[in-house]
Amino acid sequence: MRRAAVITHGKPETIGAALERLRAIAEERGVELLFPDEEVEKHGLGRDHGDLAHADLAVVLGGDGTMLRALKRFLGTPVPVIGVNFGRVGFLASIDAASLDEGLGRAFAGDYRVVELPVLEAAAGDERWSALNDVVVTSSSLGRMIELGWAVGGEDLGDLPCDGLICSTPSGSTAYNLSNGGPVLVWGLDAMAVTFVAPHSLHARPLVLPRGRELAITNRTADVSAAVLADGHVVRELPPGGEVVNRLSDERSLLATLPESTFFSRYRRVFTS
């Protein structure tokens, strides 16, 4: 390990002590830390510390939102991302804040493994977006139900009145998808989950789709636009008749974890304790 990029969340006063511990561990191990411009300015580091593309590993000090931001930043590169949890849930982070020194010392010594996680690609017209967690189609008008048509691999599955539809990756299946009764997809599955939000039906059931099957979602509501969200951010408005197509991307995000921090150890910690 020669270089590590650093991504943080919050204000310097909330993460500053952890950053100083990280810098001490890196100096002890002979690891050069690389900071993006916003981190240099945020923490008053005085100068840019190098090109992030040269990093061997990216270290996140933050919660799941910061992890998603870092994973997306390094998407398409060979740089894996490891997290120290300073958030509430921390499902994507493998090191808790109290174990920062030991955990990062091990990571800098190469004692980690890399999990490849599927990524979604959403397309509407000529526009494309990547999503690490989920793509959601929901009503643009708060409190208004919409009617969505859906088709898988070109086969029409009908229209359904609902509050929205979630298409999630395995890493996103434990987020909004889970809270709506969708299936949990264990890391290692090359699939995406499809879950309706508050469907006006007794027969709407979640569906798991393999790679190669596209999900097309059409706004069938006559007088209400729908919004397309990628990882919680609105990226497109779907007018009546508008369509967005979701598929598993050829790209994968690279999540670094300590060997004992498995999917099931995280699942047990977050959802069964």
Side-chain angles (χ1 to χ4, degrees):
M1 179 70 60
R2 297 177 57 196
R3 302 181 183 90
V6 181
I7 308 291
T8 72
H9 87 334
K11 299 177 180 178
E13 58 266 26
T14 64
I15 208 74
L19 183 58
E20 287 306 310
R21 288 163 61 194
L22 166 59
R23 296 176 76 176
I25 296 165
E27 184 176 358
E28 179 184 326
R29 297 277 180 167
V31 175
E32 179 187 1
L33 297 182
L34 310 176
F35 295 88
D37 292 341
E38 66 269 21
E39 299 289 344
V40 171
E41 181 178 353
K42 184 191 307 179
H43 298 290
L45 298 173
R47 63 187 182 89
D48 194 319
H49 283 225
D51 186 352
L52 300 191
H54 295 154
D56 301 304
L57 181 71
V59 175
V60 169
L61 305 179
D64 285 330
T66 315
M67 283 292 294
L68 283 175
R69 178 160 56 89
L71 286 165
K72 184 166 288 188
R73 182 170 198 144
F74 291 99
L75 192 62
T77 78
V79 181
V81 178
I82 194 165
V84 183
N85 182 36
F86 284 88
R88 186 177 62 85
V89 178
F91 197 86
L92 291 172
S94 65
I95 304 170
D96 62 46
S99 304
L100 182 151
D101 301 70
E102 178 192 1
L104 288 183
R106 290 173 58 191
F108 288 161
D111 185 18
Y112 64 85
R113 64 187 184 90
V114 177
V115 179
E116 294 187 356
L117 297 173
V119 174
L120 287 173
E121 178 184 284
D126 295 330
E127 296 182 87
R128 299 284 188 278
W129 308 275
S130 293
L132 278 68
N133 261 3
D134 51 39
V135 174
V136 177
V137 178
T138 187
S139 175
S140 292
S141 300
L142 185 64
R144 290 290 303 273
M145 183 181 290
I146 54 176
E147 186 166 338
L148 296 178
W150 61 310
V152 174
E155 295 191 49
D156 185 15
L157 295 176
D159 301 341
L160 187 62
C162 59
D163 283 357
L165 190 153
I166 307 163
C167 181
S168 68
T169 62
S171 55
S173 70
T174 50
Y176 191 26
N177 168 74
L178 175 67
S179 68
N180 278 276
V184 173
L185 304 183
V186 177
W187 296 350
L189 289 174
D190 197 22
M192 59 187 184
V194 180
T195 304
F196 283 93
V197 180
H200 197 66
S201 169
L202 295 176
H203 305 291
R205 293 290 182 266
L207 195 63
V208 177
L209 302 179
R211 177 173 293 277
R213 294 296 181 95
E214 293 183 339
L215 169 69
I217 307 167
T218 306
N219 181 14
R220 301 290 190 196
T221 322
D223 57 348
V224 178
S225 291
V228 180
L229 295 84
D231 288 338
H233 300 284
V234 177
V235 295
R236 174 73 178 247
E237 182 176 285
L238 281 187
E243 179 184 82
V244 61
V245 178
N246 301 298
R247 59 181 289 271
L248 287 175
S249 170
D250 293 333
E251 293 184 309
R252 296 174 185 271
S253 60
L254 303 180
L255 179 69
T257 78
L258 298 182
E260 69 274 14
S261 185
T262 65
F263 172 87
F264 290 106
S265 70
R266 298 165 196 239
Y267 185 88
R268 183 175 60 251
R269 170 176 58 84
V270 174
F271 299 114
T272 65
S273 58

